[in-house]
């Protein structure tokens, strides 16, 4: 059976078609500038050149119409007719406390996701538009919602509650949700497979280090804690997000700089992180290059980054009473040889021993710890 997976943003849409039994990727593509001038679909059948088509698309339904046409195109398509697409998977950011795994999309599911719009006002509406468009164009094809928050729903109250007045949790759903769940789930399961164990036998710390970044403490196959919170701005230092800060800083800077709430929201989400600290870039490659050329702010930005990851690893080892494996994934986790070394350095007393030679690897799932290391270290390419 062929499965279409869709990740709908507000003005863009990414998709892939996979052969479910073999998990073979058949094609992938990106639609950009939906609803604005210059709409374009970039479609790539695996093994062929990219097919780029510029054509007006006024909304997500139009965009998905073009995707479906591309899928059955005689030259670039991967199916003879739409009947060959047996199911559609939709990535949805927020399912609140409603779902702890992927679900078949029904009217009730859509209603529940609409109720979560408040919690993810930028993402859930676009995700829902994608679902509505697909349901209109493929009314008989089963659709599944896959939620960024779902895998983290196993967290116990001591991990997810903030020490705020309790009624903010009951009235408004203010709690830690966590994100990147699909990635943490995939890499923790893959790590167990690589170590020849069942997820239920392992304590794993998964480090998803991309533009956005989060850690998860996965104990016996279930999330015990994660570093992102009510929103994705919490936890680690990221490309442009600040991660954990003293919450009182917000009011202090707002008063000093004459900023309102929206202004401060922009500071913590778009102007901070390694970009804000280094003044160079949010891309780790640029920051690493600048540091190598002697830029001191870039150097310190990378040190702050590694320090924060280290402190979470320590915290999660304490929370789980040890750990069997640390997994590095996403752009920086999979490729950042220097960053992995900086994070693992000085953790030998916790049983974490990186092998420099084995660490010299990018984009491959393998073991990079020394044979003597109590905690195995594995880079694993994510597959969200
Ligand atoms: P997202 O999906 O969150 O946009 P990615 O998982 O693609 O992010 O990760 C993007 C980050 O990975 C970028 O900051 C980039 O600098 C970093 N990255 C990618 N390749 C490398 C590399 N070879 N060395 C260091 N960092 C890298």
């Amino acid at each position: 059976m062929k499965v279409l997976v869709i990740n709908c943003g507000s003005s863009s849409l990414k998709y892939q078609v996979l052969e479910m039994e073999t998990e073979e990727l058949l094609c992938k593509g990106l639609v950009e500038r939906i609803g604005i001038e210059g709409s374009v679909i970039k479609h790539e059948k695996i093994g062929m050149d990219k097919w780029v088509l510029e054509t007006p698309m006024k909304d997500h339904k139009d965009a998905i119409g073009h995707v479906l046409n591309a899928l059955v195109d005689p030259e670039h398509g991967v199916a003879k007719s739409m009947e060959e697409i047996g199911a559609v998977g939709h990535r949805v950011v927020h399912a609140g406390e409603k779902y702890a795994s992927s679900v078949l999309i029904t009217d009730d599911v859509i209603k529940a996701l609409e109720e979560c719009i408040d919690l993810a006002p930028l993402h859930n509406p676009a995700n829902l538009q994608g679902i509505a468009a697909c349901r209109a164009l493929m009314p008989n094809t089963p659709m599944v919602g896959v939620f960024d928050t779902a895998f983290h729903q196993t967290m116990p109250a001591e991990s997810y509650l903030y020490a705020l007045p309790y009624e903010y949790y009951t009235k408004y759903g203010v709690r830690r949700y966590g994100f990147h769940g699909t990635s943490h789930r995939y890499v923790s399961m893959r790590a167990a497979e690589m170590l020849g164990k069942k997820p239920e036998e392992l304590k794993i710390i998964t480090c998803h280090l991309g533009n956005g970044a989060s850690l998860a403490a996965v104990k016996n196959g279930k999330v015990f804690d994660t570093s992102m919170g009510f929103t994705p701005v919490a936890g680690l230092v990221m490309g442009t997000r600040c991660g954990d800060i003293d919450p009182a800083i917000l009011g202090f800077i707002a008063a000093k700089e004459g900023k309102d709430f929206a202004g401060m929201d922009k500071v913590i989400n778009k102007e901070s992180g390694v970009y804000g600290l280094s003044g160079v870039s949010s891309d780790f490659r640029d920051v690493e290059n600048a540091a190598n050329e002697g830029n001191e702010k870039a150097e310190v930005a990378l040190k702050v980054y590694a320090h924060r990851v280290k402190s979470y690893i320590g915290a999660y080892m304490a929370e789980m009473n040890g750990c069997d494996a640390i997994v590095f994934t996403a752009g920086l986790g999979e490729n950042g040889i220097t960053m992995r070394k900086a994070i693992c350095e000085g953790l030998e007393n916790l049983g974490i021993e990186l092998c420099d030679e084995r660490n010299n690897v990018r984009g491959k799932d393998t073991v990079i710890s020394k044979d003597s290391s109590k905690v195995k270290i594995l880079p694993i390419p994510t597959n969200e």
Side-chain angles (χ1 to χ4, degrees):
M1 180 170 76
K2 293 183 175 74
V3 175
L4 168 65
V5 288
I6 294 187
N7 180 359
C8 252
S10 55
S11 68
S12 70
L13 179 168
K14 289 185 205 154
Y15 64 92
Q16 293 189 344
V17 176
L18 300 137
E19 187 62 60
M20 202 172 94
E21 286 74 19
T22 57
E23 293 186 20
E24 185 195 355
L25 177 63
L26 303 178
C27 73
K28 60 183 179 177
L30 170 68
V31 186
E32 290 175 298
R33 304 182 65 84
I34 301 168
I36 48 183
E37 208 181 314
S39 309
V40 59
I41 171 167
K42 296 170 184 169
H43 174 86
E44 187 183 347
K45 180 173 175 175
I46 301 308
M48 276 180 79
D49 286 344
K50 238 185 218 161
W51 182 38
V52 179
L53 180 68
E54 264 190 65
T55 176
M57 294 179 224
K58 66 177 189 310
D59 54 24
H60 285 78
K61 194 169 166 192
D62 256 3
I64 287 173
H66 282 288
V67 171
L68 301 185
N69 285 341
L71 300 187
V72 294
D73 183 82
E75 197 185 344
H76 296 274
V78 292
K80 285 198 185 68
S81 78
M82 280 319 295
E83 275 67 56
E84 285 182 39
I85 307 290
V88 183
H90 290 272
R91 183 245 180 152
V92 178
V93 167
H94 222 304
E97 291 186 329
K98 198 79 194 179
Y99 303 113
S101 64
S102 302
V103 293
L104 197 63
I105 296 176
T106 61
D107 291 344
D108 285 345
V109 171
I110 289 181
K111 204 162 147 265
L113 298 177
E114 281 169 353
E115 284 164 11
C116 294
I117 286 178
D118 236 12
L119 300 173
L122 297 179
H123 293 102
N124 269 33
N127 303 155
L128 281 161
Q129 275 179 9
I131 294 173
C134 272
R135 286 183 116 202
L137 295 168
M138 316 162 77
N140 300 318
T141 310
M143 313 227 169
V144 169
V146 181
F147 313 112
D148 285 22
T149 50
F151 188 49
H152 300 300
Q153 274 298 303
T154 49
M155 274 189 287
E158 61 266 36
S159 298
Y160 72 68
L161 277 181
Y162 291 116
L164 287 164
Y166 194 79
E167 76 238 37
Y168 295 157
Y169 166 56
T170 48
K171 267 182 16 195
Y172 307 123
V174 174
R175 54 159 281 178
R176 179 188 304 283
Y177 289 101
F179 300 89
H180 296 139
T182 316
S183 174
H184 289 295
R185 178 173 183 272
Y186 171 76
V187 297
S188 59
M189 287 171 61
R190 175 79 187 114
E193 189 178 82
M194 287 167 71
L195 297 172
K197 297 241 166 98
K198 294 200 184 96
E200 299 80 49
E201 298 168 337
L202 291 167
K203 297 170 190 170
I204 304 177
I205 297 175
T206 47
C207 311
H208 178 109
L209 312 179
N211 270 319
S214 66
L215 256 69
V218 187
K219 190 177 176 184
N220 309 331
K222 291 179 178 168
V223 174
F224 188 80
D225 206 349
T226 189
S227 61
M228 280 182 169
F230 178 64
T231 74
V233 79
L236 301 180
V237 174
M238 308 183 209
T240 61
R241 296 185 198 129
C242 61
D244 296 340
I245 56 166
D246 179 339
I249 293 170
L250 292 177
F252 181 82
I253 298 293
K256 291 279 182 204
E257 297 265 322
K259 288 186 189 290
D260 60 5
F261 182 74
M264 285 313 298
D265 199 52
K266 188 162 166 240
V267 170
I268 60 172
N269 275 293
K270 306 258 185 233
E271 297 169 5
S272 298
V274 289
Y275 166 73
L277 270 174
S278 68
V280 173
S281 165
S282 64
D283 191 302
F284 283 88
R285 284 164 290 200
D286 301 338
V287 183
E288 279 184 359
N289 287 340
N292 289 339
E293 284 162 12
N295 182 320
E296 287 176 14
K297 283 204 280 182
E299 204 180 321
V300 87
L302 296 171
K303 281 190 178 162
V304 175
Y305 186 93
H307 174 84
R308 183 75 55 86
V309 178
K310 246 186 227 272
S311 67
Y312 265 97
I313 289 175
Y316 289 170
M317 285 185 81
E319 287 182 26
M320 295 195 290
N321 192 12
C323 100
D324 303 298
I326 295 178
V327 177
F328 287 105
T329 193
L332 181 64
E334 292 162 26
N335 302 297
I337 295 168
T338 325
M339 182 52 78
R340 288 194 301 246
K341 184 173 163 64
I343 291 168
C344 295
E345 221 156 42
L347 299 182
E348 297 79 13
N349 276 342
L350 297 180
I352 299 166
E353 297 174 60
L354 186 77
C355 168
D356 283 339
E357 208 175 305
R358 290 179 185 163
N359 184 38
N360 204 7
V361 68
R362 295 184 206 277
K364 203 173 148 213
D365 42 13
T366 180
V367 177
I368 57 171
S369 40
K370 290 184 184 162
D371 291 339
S372 57
S373 185
K374 210 171 138 215
V375 179
K376 303 293 167 230
I377 310 170
L378 307 96
I380 300 182
T382 193
N383 189 0
E384 290 171 278

